[in-house]
Amino acid sequence: MQKSGGEIKVLSQALASQIDIHKETGGVVPEVAAREHTKVFRPLLQKVLQEAKINPPVSPLTGGLSDTSPDRGRLGGGFDAIAVTIGPGLIPALTVGVTAARTLAYAWNKPIIPVHHIEGHIYSALGEGSFPALALIVSGGHTMLIEMQDHLQYKVLGETRDDAAGEAFDKVARLLDLSYPGGPALSKLAEQGDATAFDFPRPMMHSKDLDFSFSGLKTAVLYKLKESEAASPREALERSGDIAASFQQAVVDCLIQKTLQAYEKIQPKVILLAGGVAANSLLRAELKKSIESRGGELRIAPLALCGDNAVMIGQAGLVAFDAGRKISWKEVDAQARISITEVGHWG
Ligand code: KG4
Ligand code: ZN
């Protein structure tokens, strides 16, 4: 990724999806995911370096480091730093990326820009900084409302107390025998259903805080399914579209209600929507309607950048680099539970 003036140009990008593998295991198995990361990483790196016209820091003749002198930075590579996600997440998977970044940073003699996974999602939607900003981040692992008074300044206003929104989609999809990942499959099924057919609970929707909770909703779906299967298995199957649509509506209602509460509280200039669940078309449409009817500006991450990707880490990394966030390869480590408010405040 290259920045000149205010223009950001993606020189090359690649994504190795493990969805087919997770489909077989019905979800993410950390060891399987990490092994796959290791397997795909090298060819992926080779491909992006080639496309971006960056020479690898190894001698084509010996295959080893072509320069190990302390001033080997003159090897250049034509870039300033390497951004990498340090967490939060599954350590076996994060470690593959962090170890690769560390090795390359050593070989190229470049600093590392540690990036928090959620920062990446935020910057995939932000673009030009307009503050205060309010971000709704909804993914398989997180459901968060974050206030930003400036670049890289985060205040967590609320988050889920149990399941993340994407996790709820995935779990309910499994109850409905849909394939992994559940979100897209469930929202497709919901298209054929009636969202008012079942009045599922909207947990915490009227609580004064800005937290979320989705596990009770999932349980309510489970009971409804059991009840209708016991009554008539055939009818239950026929009504799965109604269940999917009613469930999806309940999740979207909760997300929008809390976002509007936060909107009233901080009166942001822009509202950001990002993360895997931001690909959900009902959520996109309903949030847009709610924010625009209040005269606000909603920025949604481009569809291709809603799910996890490297571009979003580069986007956040560029801003962090400009703000002076750079550390040595010796200092970088994968962190399973790091909070977005901690990142950048060490070293
Ligand atoms: O951001 P992401 O790719 O990975 C995490 O950081 O977790 O988000 C993945 C999540 C999964 O739970 C998936 O089911 C959900 O995003 N998702 C959706 C949709 N597309 C992906 N949920 C609802 N509707 C969708 N269209
Ligand atoms: Zn994510």
Side-chain angles (χ1 to χ4, degrees), residues 163-175:
D163 292 351
E167 191 179 356
F169 268 95
D170 294 340
K171 286 179 176 171
V172 168
R174 211 173 306 155
L175 296 177

Side-chain angles (χ1 to χ4, degrees), residues 1-22:
M1 196 172 274
Q2 191 177 53
K3 189 174 167 195
S4 56
E7 277 290 290
I8 291 174
K9 195 169 155 200
V10 177
L11 301 177
S12 173
Q13 62 175 307
L15 191 132
S17 167
Q18 297 192 16
I19 282 180
D20 289 343
I21 293 167
H22 300 329

Side-chain angles (χ1 to χ4, degrees), residues 15 46 110 113 137 208 248 263 273 284 297 308 324:
L15 191 132
Q46 253 166 354
K110 301 287 182 198
I113 314 163
I137 306 301
K208 291 250 164 352
Q248 175 174 253
Y263 178 84
L273 172 64
R284 294 167 86 94
E297 183 194 343
D308 292 347

